[in-house]
Amino acid sequence: MARGLSNSVKTELATGNIDPVLLIDFGFATPVYLTNASFDITSNISGSSRTYLSNGHLRSITGINETNRPSKNTLSISLSAVDQTYVSVALNENIINDNVYIYRGYLDSNNALISDPFLLFFGTIDEYKISDNTTTANLILSITSHWGNFSKTSGRTTTDNSQQRFFTSDKGMEFAALTVRDIKWGRT
């Protein structure tokens, strides 16, 4: 499973002192870089220096798995929504289909990132939801791998949100979600 790991990563893995970290790039209009490490990490991924923040907003990632064949994989990333920073981005920008890159990196015995983290998952934001209660709030992003686009039907959807995006005063799709049966147009 070497999958192109750099020699420095292979050497560190051979020591048995494995301290993995995740580095996540969200391709919002203003990119966001987060890590699950306990401190901020600066890395040169794709030739540009990026600082991945360890601000506690990254709550969890569920559903990362690998297969040996092309398949549509999905995972969920939960971000804290107590601070309204990411909720504001989700509500004010069109984040659907924004790219998300998840890299796996390793720390050495001095807690320095070993060069060349590898790409663990690449996908796009398929949907999101905001859940809150009296004690916590979360922004949950559903990320679909790039293979998900092969089964995607192109074009606009018949939802009120899609209609309002292009025609803000049109109420034609306001109750489209309530109609669950297939409407036959023309002769049957």
Side-chain angles (χ1 to χ4, degrees):
M1 162 171 148
R3 80 156 111 175
L5 299 178
S6 68
N7 287 333
S8 55
V9 171
K10 290 178 189 176
T11 303
E12 187 65 26
L13 290 174
T15 67
N17 297 327
I18 300 172
D19 194 4
V21 293
L22 294 175
L23 307 171
I24 305 173
D25 295 12
F26 294 99
F28 301 144
T30 301
V32 173
Y33 307 111
L34 297 177
T35 182
N36 66 342
S38 59
F39 51 90
D40 293 350
I41 294 177
T42 300
S43 177
N44 294 326
I45 295 177
S46 302
S48 61
S49 180
R50 298 179 181 152
T51 299
Y52 292 85
L53 301 177
S54 173
N55 56 13
H57 290 282
L58 179 61
R59 304 289 304 263
S60 67
I61 299 176
T62 57
I64 293 180
N65 59 27
E66 290 186 351
T67 60
N68 60 356
R69 58 181 168 50
S71 65
K72 177 182 173 182
N73 294 323
T74 59
L75 60 89
S76 292
I77 299 176
S78 178
L79 302 174
S80 173
V82 173
D83 179 353
Q84 294 293 304
T85 304
Y86 303 118
V87 173
S88 176
V89 169
L91 295 177
N92 294 318
E93 297 179 15
N94 184 16
I95 65 169
I96 302 300
N97 292 325
D98 280 355
N99 291 333
V100 176
Y101 297 88
I102 301 175
Y103 295 93
R104 168 77 73 198
Y106 294 96
L107 302 177
D108 64 14
S109 58
N110 298 319
N111 283 334
L113 185 67
I114 299 170
S115 62
D116 303 324
F118 65 90
L119 184 63
L120 182 65
F121 188 88
F122 165 69
T124 56
I125 299 174
D126 190 33
E127 63 183 1
Y128 67 90
K129 70 178 181 176
I130 301 167
S131 66
D132 63 342
N133 58 37
T134 58
T135 58
T136 188
N138 291 311
L139 171 64
I140 302 166
L141 303 171
S142 175
I143 314 298
T144 303
S145 69
H146 65 283
W147 295 110
N149 288 334
F150 288 110
S151 62
K152 181 179 177 181
T153 304
S154 296
R156 291 187 36 214
T157 59
T158 54
T159 64
D160 189 45
N161 288 341
S162 177
Q163 188 70 1
Q164 292 300 312
R165 182 173 177 203
F166 296 99
F167 306 101
T168 56
S169 61
D170 189 355
K171 300 290 184 183
M173 295 290 177
E174 185 174 10
F175 301 104
L178 301 176
T179 305
V180 293
R181 62 177 185 195
D182 188 18
I183 298 174
K184 306 289 184 198
W185 298 95
R187 283 188 221 170
T188 56

